[in-house]
């Protein structure tokens, strides 16, 4: 089954909402001033969905090369921004590095030790890429030169630009029906000057339900675990 059966292009999502609102459909993301408003609202929906939790559709892994005596590393995710980091491991070590506070790592680095890293902390953001920097401890030494950190993270979806033609024909990683429902709810609120209406309340409640179900798709609806919940103090 093609991916189009689950995910529409961004202009197709906007067209579906335009039909629900009984307005003429757009051919581009900047066709009309109202289309531009829908693009802005769709960006809000995409951000809201991404912030809801951990989405397996956004899972990524990259390698960062260690250099002897270097204590600060940038997570260079080419063409991507990072939503959050799940774990960082070093070379062939079985366990991931332990997360420490920036204060702890800075304190340790005042008298650095060298060897295979076992801890790390996020320390600032790189001004050029907008992605986080981390400092490991111990600092990689000569024996660790050119070994690698494996960084597992979830990327942040890029914002749509109404002036970029490719953004109209690209597809979001999120299910089309979820985007349509979320955008429809925001468009209803926008049309009514941010005054809640019964139609907006119903659309928002449906979006919230769909959001939970879509997130559960790969995060909860798996495995064969059985949970027994006591009732009235008895099993």
């Amino acid at each position: 089954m093609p991916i189009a059966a689950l995910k529409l292009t961004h202009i197709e999502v906007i067209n579906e909402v335009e039909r629900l609102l009984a307005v003429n459909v757009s051919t581009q993301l900047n066709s009309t001033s109202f289309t531009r408003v829908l693009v802005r609202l769709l960006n809000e929906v995409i951000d809201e969905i991404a912030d809801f939790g951990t989405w397996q559709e956004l899972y990524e892994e990259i390698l960062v090369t260690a250099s002897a005596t270097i204590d600060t590393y940038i997570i260079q995710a080419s063409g991507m921004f990072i939503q959050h980091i799940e774990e960082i491991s070093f070379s062939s070590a079985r366990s991931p590095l332990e997360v420490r506070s920036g204060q702890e790592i800075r304190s340790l680095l005042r008298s650095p030790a060298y060897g295979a890293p076992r801890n790390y902390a996020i320390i600032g953001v790189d001004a050029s890429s907008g992605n986080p920097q981390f400092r490991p401890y111990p600092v990689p030494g000569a024996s660790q030169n050119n070994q690698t950190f494996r960084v597992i993270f979830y990327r942040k979806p890029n914002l749509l630009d109404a002036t970029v033609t490719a953004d109209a024909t690209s597809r979001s990683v999120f299910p089309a029906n979820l985007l349509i429902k979320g955008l429809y709810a925001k468009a209803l609120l926008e049309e009514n000057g941010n005054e809640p209406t019964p139609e907006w309340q119903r659309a928002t409640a449906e979006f919230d339900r769909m959001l939970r179900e879509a997130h559960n798709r790969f995060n909860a609806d798996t495995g064969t675990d059985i949970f027994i919940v006591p009732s009235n103090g008895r099993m």
Side-chain angles (χ1 to χ4, degrees):
M1 181 177 293
I3 195 66
L6 176 66
K7 301 170 183 177
L8 299 178
T9 64
H10 293 110
I11 191 64
E12 288 171 337
V13 169
I14 286 176
N15 288 165
E16 289 300 317
V17 173
E18 289 170 329
R19 294 185 183 98
L20 290 170
L21 297 172
V23 299
N24 293 332
V25 298
S26 306
T27 57
Q28 297 295 329
L29 296 182
N30 61 350
S31 292
T32 67
S33 58
F34 184 61
T35 314
R36 287 176 172 269
V37 171
L38 290 178
V39 171
R40 175 177 60 79
L41 295 176
L42 182 54
N43 278 329
E44 292 179 9
V45 172
I46 292 172
D47 261 356
E48 186 175 332
I49 294 172
D51 289 341
F52 181 76
T54 298
W55 295 87
Q56 300 304 321
E57 291 89 342
L58 300 176
Y59 180 95
E60 301 284 349
E61 294 185 19
I62 60 170
L63 298 177
V64 177
T65 302
S67 297
T69 73
I70 300 299
D71 64 6
T72 303
Y73 296 86
I74 302 169
I75 303 176
Q76 292 283 17
S78 179
M80 292 180 285
F81 293 107
I82 293 172
Q83 181 84 2
H84 71 269
I85 296 168
E86 181 164 287
E87 69 173 44
I88 299 177
S89 58
F90 184 71
S91 191
S92 58
R94 184 181 296 273
S95 300
L97 275 59
E98 292 286 340
V99 182
R100 303 295 182 188
S101 69
Q103 183 180 21
E104 287 180 292
I105 291 295
R106 286 191 296 269
S107 176
L108 290 168
L109 287 174
R110 291 188 184 105
S111 298
Y114 297 92
R118 297 186 298 276
N119 311 272
Y120 82 96
I122 299 299
I123 304 288
V125 174
D126 175 60
S128 298
S129 67
N131 278 325
Q133 302 175 140
F134 71 94
R135 288 180 180 169
Y137 189 84
V139 177
S143 299
Q144 289 75 44
N145 191 50
N146 289 326
Q147 294 187 25
T148 55
F149 298 94
R150 180 177 295 274
V151 183
I152 297 174
F153 66 95
Y154 293 87
R155 63 184 172 85
K156 184 175 180 62
N158 293 334
L159 294 179
L160 301 175
D161 185 336
T163 64
V164 177
T165 303
D167 281 0
T169 56
S170 61
R171 300 178 192 275
S172 173
V173 298
F174 302 123
N177 284 335
L178 179 62
L179 293 173
I180 292 168
K181 185 60 69 175
L183 179 56
Y184 179 57
K186 286 189 176 293
L188 287 175
L189 193 62
E190 183 80 13
E191 277 197 330
N192 288 282
N194 289 322
E195 285 293 327
T197 62
E199 292 81 5
W200 169 80
Q201 290 172 344
R202 287 193 293 269
T204 299
E206 182 64 11
F207 170 66
D208 290 342
R209 183 196 65 80
M210 293 176 66
L211 180 59
R212 291 191 298 271
E213 288 300 320
H215 184 258
N216 283 345
R217 182 170 175 234
F218 295 128
N219 291 291
D221 296 339
T222 57
T224 57
D225 293 341
I226 298 175
F227 297 93
I228 301 174
V229 180
S231 176
N232 296 326
R234 296 183 300 174
M235 295 299 290

